[in-house]
Amino acid sequence: MENGKRYDVVVMGGGPGGYVAAIRAAQLGNTVAIVEKDALGGICLNWGCVPTKALLRDSEVLHLVKNSDLYGISIPDFKVNFKASVERSRKVASRLSKGVEYLMKKNSIRHLQGTASLVSPGEVQVTHVGRDPALLKAGHVIIATGARNMELPGLEMDGKRIVSSKEAMILEKVPKRMIIIGAGAIGVEFASLYHEYGTEIHLVEMLPHILPQEDEEISRVLGNLFEKRGINIHTSTRVEKAEALKTKVKVHISSGDETSVLDGDIALVAVGVQGNVENLGLEKAGVQVESGWINVDEYCKTTVDRLYAIGDVIGPPWLAHVASAQGRLVAEHLSGKNPQPINMDHIPACTYSRPQVASLGMTEQEARQAGYEMKVGRFPMTANGKALAYGEPDGMVKVIVDSRYGELLGCHIIGMEATELIAEIGVAQTLETTYVEILQTVHAHPTLSESIMEAVAQANGEAIHI
């Protein structure tokens, strides 16, 4: 491992923020080194976004097989090989990680395996077990060390009975009963996944609705659909503690004055994350940290010149696409370009359950609290031809528009491929498109995207198909 070599940019962390920042910086003519202690791609690619979607896809295929009679196809006998599904998800993650390694070589980026820490604002020490430490000199440093699962008192994870999402995606067998603590996107996705395989699910959420960050109406729709499928939902419920026993786990919950105990094979803790800010030399370099997150400005600059921080380590929203966008922003900013700061009001949120949930912009409640004169339009998927043809009629599109200027304030989708449909709204908001212009845009038929046009039409009193 080289010692004393100088790079224009040193990136600490190889996740979706770090590796994107490295590539973009190299494209702009910088010499770049990236330091990562594990596989390139970070939690998202290796243990989060991508492998969970592979598992969720397998559960969707299982759903199709179990309901094949709906499509005129009888499959009376079939076998589930959950181990093979897990192996497939690991292969998908491994392939993409190797793809990132290739991109490092393609862009002449020096990839160093090890742990990085700041010695000074312009010096990064790299340590690796069995090797002498190396000191890199840097014109700029980008901190992209991510976050890890939050651990709360009484919910200590042992990796066997009380687990994080990482262990939950590589279980050796399908559990008979799973208690999921936290009904955000991660909790809801695992509830959807394992219920399809026959697991009895208990989804526990402290707030009044599952997916509490989403529009309340959409959350209620998903909650109702989950309950119809047999998923047990406990909202407005606190988890007091979890006990890992030899053959099971006991989760103590309370709601109001009532207390009870849930027994399960596995308890999944999905209550949030905390930033990886320890042992980075932040204090030595003078970087300001507040409430466990690195403080940055609109260009992701820290309180120290030439030091940037991106992704989960700077706080919410903890989304891979946000980290990647910040990576591009920082690479361009330190290279002397003039990038526009990211509009954090225009960040899509996606949940890949069945049905999917996606949103962008204000919820109805937020728009009302902001004092907008607004119109709300809704279009049910039961009235969409393609959704019906595909046997996926659950869900709706909901839009919130400003009555005065026609601004598209927010869109909330629950249904088949909602996470793909939301991109249209992203482009519309970036271009400051009005709802009238969406109505004037001819949408192909039959497509799911017609539901967006129809929801906007309903908001304006022009709905055709409802």
Side-chain angles (χ1 to χ4, degrees):
M1 194 180 288
E2 69 249 43
N3 192 43
K5 187 167 182 178
R6 187 188 186 283
Y7 293 89
D8 296 326
V9 180
V10 174
V11 183
M12 298 168 57
Y19 82 73
V20 168
I23 292 171
R24 186 65 183 129
Q27 288 175 342
L28 292 170
N30 297 284
T31 56
V32 182
I34 188 168
V35 185
E36 171 56 55
K37 64 179 181 179
D38 298 314
L40 286 170
I43 293 295
C44 173
L45 194 154
N46 292 287
W47 295 103
C49 321
V50 174
T52 55
K53 303 314 164 280
L55 290 172
L56 283 160
R57 176 55 182 164
D58 291 358
S59 74
E60 291 169 356
V61 172
L62 176 58
H63 174 74
L64 286 172
V65 170
K66 291 192 295 186
N67 293 275
S68 63
D69 286 346
L70 175 67
Y71 305 95
I73 302 169
S74 178
I75 308 177
D77 297 307
F78 62 88
K79 293 182 179 180
V80 172
N81 187 341
F82 186 69
K83 182 179 179 181
S85 290
V86 171
E87 289 174 352
R88 188 180 85 85
S89 76
R90 302 314 310 149
K91 287 178 182 178
V92 170
S94 177
R95 178 174 178 176
L96 286 176
S97 182
K98 287 182 171 60
V100 176
E101 289 180 15
Y102 162 76
L103 291 173
M104 296 300 102
K105 295 176 182 177
K106 175 186 175 183
N107 289 279
S108 302
I109 297 165
R110 181 74 169 101
H111 171 210
L112 301 172
Q113 188 167 28
T115 301
S117 60
L118 293 166
V119 176
S120 72
E123 295 177 307
V124 176
Q125 180 173 282
V126 181
T127 58
H128 191 285
V129 176
R131 301 178 190 173
D132 293 331
L135 186 69
L136 307 181
K137 296 185 181 297
H140 297 87
V141 177
I142 303 173
I143 304 166
T145 50
R148 63 188 183 278
N149 290 302
M150 185 180 294
E151 293 192 30
L152 299 177
L155 293 179
E156 292 82 5
M157 290 172 273
D158 63 1
K160 296 178 180 179
R161 292 292 173 190
I162 305 174
V163 303
S164 70
S165 58
K166 180 177 180 179
E167 291 86 21
M169 70 176 69
I170 54 172
L171 297 179
E172 294 183 0
K173 61 180 181 180
V174 176
K176 293 181 178 179
R177 203 170 193 222
M178 176 181 281
I179 302 157
I180 300 176
I181 304 166
I186 293 174
V188 162
E189 288 179 4
F190 276 102
S192 184
L193 164 66
Y194 277 106
H195 181 265
E196 200 65 66
Y197 281 95
T199 302
E200 179 186 327
I201 298 292
H202 287 265
L203 187 57
V204 185
E205 172 56 49
M206 183 174 66
L207 296 172
H209 305 283
I210 64 171
L211 293 184
Q213 300 302 316
E214 295 292 343
D215 183 90
E216 189 174 309
E217 183 177 7
I218 299 297
S219 296
R220 285 201 305 268
V221 171
L222 182 65
N224 291 336
L225 290 170
F226 268 20
E227 287 179 331
K228 286 180 181 178
R229 285 161 57 182
I231 294 174
N232 301 285
I233 296 177
H234 309 265
T235 50
S236 299
T237 301
R238 296 181 62 88
V239 173
E240 303 300 336
K241 66 176 180 177
E243 296 179 274
L245 306 178
K246 187 175 181 179
T247 60
K248 65 180 180 178
V249 62
K250 298 172 76 71
V251 177
H252 298 254
I253 62 175
S254 63
S255 181
D257 296 329
E258 296 182 4
T259 61
S260 57
V261 178
L262 298 174
D263 290 343
D265 300 310
I266 296 282
L268 166 60
V269 181
V271 292
V273 297
Q274 57 192 73
N276 292 323
V277 297
E278 300 85 3
N279 304 315
L280 300 180
L282 299 180
E283 302 84 357
K284 188 184 300 183
V287 175
Q288 188 177 46
V289 178
E290 186 175 346
S291 300
W293 312 105
I294 297 176
N295 277 354
V296 296
D297 66 10
E298 61 182 350
Y299 293 103
C300 295
K301 290 181 65 177
T302 70
T303 49
V304 177
D305 190 40
R306 298 187 297 145
L307 293 186
Y308 294 80
I310 61 175
D312 288 358
V313 76
I314 66 174
W318 302 290
L319 300 168
H321 45 281
V322 171
S324 295
Q326 290 167 341
R328 289 182 63 94
L329 172 75
V330 164
E332 292 175 4
H333 190 264
L334 64 82
S335 299
K337 302 297 181 183
N338 188 31
Q340 291 297 309
I342 299 168
N343 187 336
M344 299 306 289
D345 292 329
H346 291 176
I347 301 297
C350 298
T351 302
Y352 298 82
S353 52
R354 186 180 63 81
Q356 295 179 6
V357 177
S359 62
L360 204 158
M362 290 184 174
T363 65
E364 182 179 354
Q365 183 180 16
E366 289 169 343
R368 291 193 189 282
Q369 290 175 344
Y372 281 98
E373 295 179 20
M374 63 184 191
K375 300 177 182 179
V376 178
R378 300 172 179 83
F379 189 79
M381 288 299 183
T382 51
N384 178 275
K386 187 170 183 180
L388 287 172
Y390 273 61
E392 298 285 350
D394 290 331
M396 63 184 286
V397 175
K398 177 179 180 179
V399 295
I400 298 111
V401 299
D402 175 33
S403 301
R404 189 173 182 185
Y405 298 110
E407 179 186 0
L408 187 60
L409 300 175
C411 179
H412 308 272
I413 308 173
I414 177 169
M416 177 185 177
E417 299 297 351
T419 59
E420 299 290 339
L421 293 175
I422 202 65
E424 176 178 340
I425 301 301
V427 173
Q429 286 196 329
T430 297
L431 298 177
E432 298 183 350
T433 300
T434 66
Y435 69 85
V436 173
E437 290 166 326
I438 290 179
L439 278 177
Q440 292 172 341
T441 301
V442 178
H443 289 63
H445 175 76
T447 60
L448 298 171
S449 66
E450 288 177 284
S451 296
I452 294 174
M453 178 184 66
E454 293 276 11
V456 171
Q458 203 270 336
N460 204 41
E462 303 177 22
I464 300 297
H465 293 98
I466 52 172

